[in-house]
Amino acid sequence: IDTGIVDPDTASFRIYYGGNPVLGGTLINLGDGTFLFMLNTSAFVNGTHPYLGTYVLNVIFEKKYYENKTIVIPLTIKEVSVIDYAQPANISIIWGEFITTSIYYNRTRDMAFIYDATIDINVYNETGSPVYVPAGALEIIAGDVYILRINTSLLETMLYIVEISLSKQFHEDGLVRIFVNVLPIPTYISVSQKTVELEYDEHVEIFTWYKYYDTGDSVIGATASYYVYYGEDLVLSGSMLYSSDAGYYYFTLNATKIVEVIVQSYNVTFPAVLAIHIMVDKTHCVSQEEFITLTIYEIACYVELTETEITAEWAQQVDVGITIIRNKTAERIKDVNIDVGGLP
């Protein structure tokens, strides 16, 4: 049995790069004719000698009166293989909220985390065009994993594609894509009435509640507008006011004003039916709309006579009192033009 030469005069190694020696040393003699060589590539590939690629390892044995031997071993040093991913990588979040996602940059061979990586963030919209995000919107926090902290209050309501590049010397580069869909804050709308009936000289206030869906709190500072349509034509529009005490937006529907506008361009017949389109919105909130049907009637009246049947002698004068009374209020209508017919 060949047990090897247990006591050579020399048992050493030399590592060459491009024909130039970069490292040398002595093998560990295990005492049974075997020798141990512990290779640490960072001893000769490092910040002062940052060259990956092919090296030559010479293992040298020498002993007096024995033939010297040199074993030549090609040695290829490669980048550290990595695996990279984010968890979660697809995020849907309501504007104004915070969320974090973990970014992993690990060695493939043992899944050990790679510390002190250089990290760059680039952000794109859904078409792939670069977009600007303000400082503080996306922050990296280093720990046992890299944490991306997302502050949506500094973002817009849109889909962001966040590309995170990770790099470290002598390691493969990593690239992680995170899709962040910032959604508007859910809201709902309600109105005081969806069907309105007015006579010509009447008006009514319409109240509109625009609230956050989750809390029921009023959305303050919204843009609230109303649009009045006669048929398909817009005849009147305006902005709504906000009552901070009551927590609603409101406006006044004035039948007289509306009729005076539409008679300028249209042959109006009563009852006149119009559509009211209400729209409320606020930046970063879900916009809402509602529709109201408005019917405008002529003022309904009836006639009272002091005499409903007259018997008179020839040439006798008979006075008949005529009163026009409003149906709704029993109010007597003044300044009425009265035509009397049926007499010779």
Side-chain angles (χ1 to χ4, degrees):
I1 300 174
D2 184 2
T3 59
I5 300 171
V6 299
D7 57 347
D9 297 332
T10 300
S12 62
F13 70 91
R14 288 190 184 89
I15 299 175
Y16 297 86
Y17 181 74
N20 299 311
V22 293
L23 187 68
T26 303
L27 304 181
I28 300 172
N29 191 341
L30 299 180
D32 59 356
T34 59
F35 296 83
L36 178 64
F37 169 55
M38 299 183 67
L39 178 65
N40 182 355
T41 57
S42 63
F44 58 93
V45 180
N46 47 48
T48 58
H49 189 268
Y51 306 113
L52 300 172
T54 301
Y55 290 72
V56 175
L57 169 63
N58 287 352
V59 181
I60 305 161
F61 295 99
E62 296 176 339
K63 185 175 175 64
K64 191 175 182 179
Y65 307 121
Y66 285 76
E67 183 182 1
N68 295 334
K69 286 292 184 183
T70 299
I71 302 170
V72 180
I73 303 173
L75 179 60
T76 302
I77 309 302
K78 302 187 299 182
E79 289 181 319
V80 176
S81 176
V82 305
I83 184 169
D84 51 77
Y85 62 95
Q87 184 62 41
N90 290 281
I91 298 170
S92 290
I93 183 171
I94 294 173
W95 186 90
E97 296 181 351
F98 290 84
I99 196 170
T100 60
T101 181
S102 299
I103 300 165
Y104 295 88
Y105 184 46
N106 297 2
R107 288 196 309 235
T108 302
R109 67 176 184 265
D110 57 6
M111 293 304 293
F113 180 68
I114 301 169
Y115 292 91
D116 302 320
T118 298
I119 299 176
D120 293 311
I121 300 176
N122 292 292
V123 185
Y124 306 90
N125 61 20
E126 60 185 337
T127 67
S129 299
V131 295
Y132 166 79
V133 295
L138 303 171
E139 294 181 322
I140 293 289
I141 302 169
D144 290 336
V145 296
Y146 298 110
I147 300 295
L148 175 65
R149 185 174 184 268
I150 303 169
N151 179 0
T152 63
S153 66
L154 299 175
L155 299 175
E156 299 301 324
T157 51
M158 57 177 282
L159 175 64
Y160 291 87
I161 301 172
V162 182
E163 282 192 352
I164 299 177
S165 302
L166 305 106
S167 61
K168 188 173 183 180
Q169 193 175 36
F170 311 125
H171 294 70
E172 292 178 344
D173 292 340
L175 179 64
V176 174
R177 285 188 180 90
I178 301 170
F179 296 85
V180 182
N181 192 13
V182 182
L183 304 172
I185 303 171
T187 62
Y188 67 91
I189 187 175
S190 59
V191 294
S192 53
Q193 53 194 115
K194 297 183 72 172
T195 302
V196 178
E197 295 184 345
L198 298 175
E199 290 187 348
Y200 167 76
D201 66 342
E202 291 180 324
H203 65 273
V204 66
E205 284 193 338
I206 301 296
F207 306 113
T208 302
W209 290 268
Y210 183 42
K211 297 192 173 188
Y212 294 111
Y213 186 84
D214 287 343
T215 64
D217 295 334
S218 296
V219 180
I220 300 172
T223 299
S225 305
Y226 66 92
Y227 305 88
V228 181
Y229 289 88
Y230 185 59
E232 296 184 355
D233 296 331
L234 177 66
V235 295
L236 195 65
S237 64
S239 298
M240 301 169 66
L241 301 174
Y242 180 72
S243 169
S244 56
D245 293 334
Y248 54 61
Y249 296 86
Y250 66 96
F251 68 101
T252 300
L253 279 178
N254 186 318
T256 303
K257 181 178 179 180
I258 293 171
V259 171
E260 288 176 352
V261 169
I262 60 178
V263 296
Q264 295 176 21
S265 305
Y266 302 93
N267 230 344
V268 179
T269 57
F270 291 94
V273 180
L274 300 98
I276 315 298
H277 186 195
I278 292 174
M279 297 184 67
V280 287
D281 67 89
K282 186 179 181 181
T283 304
H284 308 307
C285 295
V286 176
S287 300
Q288 298 290 351
E289 63 180 359
E290 189 58 272
F291 293 89
I292 297 173
T293 300
L294 168 64
T295 305
I296 300 177
Y297 297 90
E298 293 177 303
I299 299 173
C301 301
Y302 64 91
V303 178
E304 278 191 354
L305 302 175
T306 55
E307 304 290 341
T308 58
E309 185 175 334
I310 301 172
T311 301
E313 293 180 356
W314 181 85
Q316 179 184 354
Q317 180 176 317
V318 178
D319 293 331
V320 178
I322 302 173
T323 305
I324 311 299
I325 300 175
R326 185 168 182 170
N327 287 7
K328 258 186 184 180
T329 62
E331 170 191 2
R332 296 190 176 194
I333 308 300
K334 300 177 181 178
D335 302 323
V336 178
N337 293 324
I338 299 177
D339 292 325
V340 178
L343 296 177

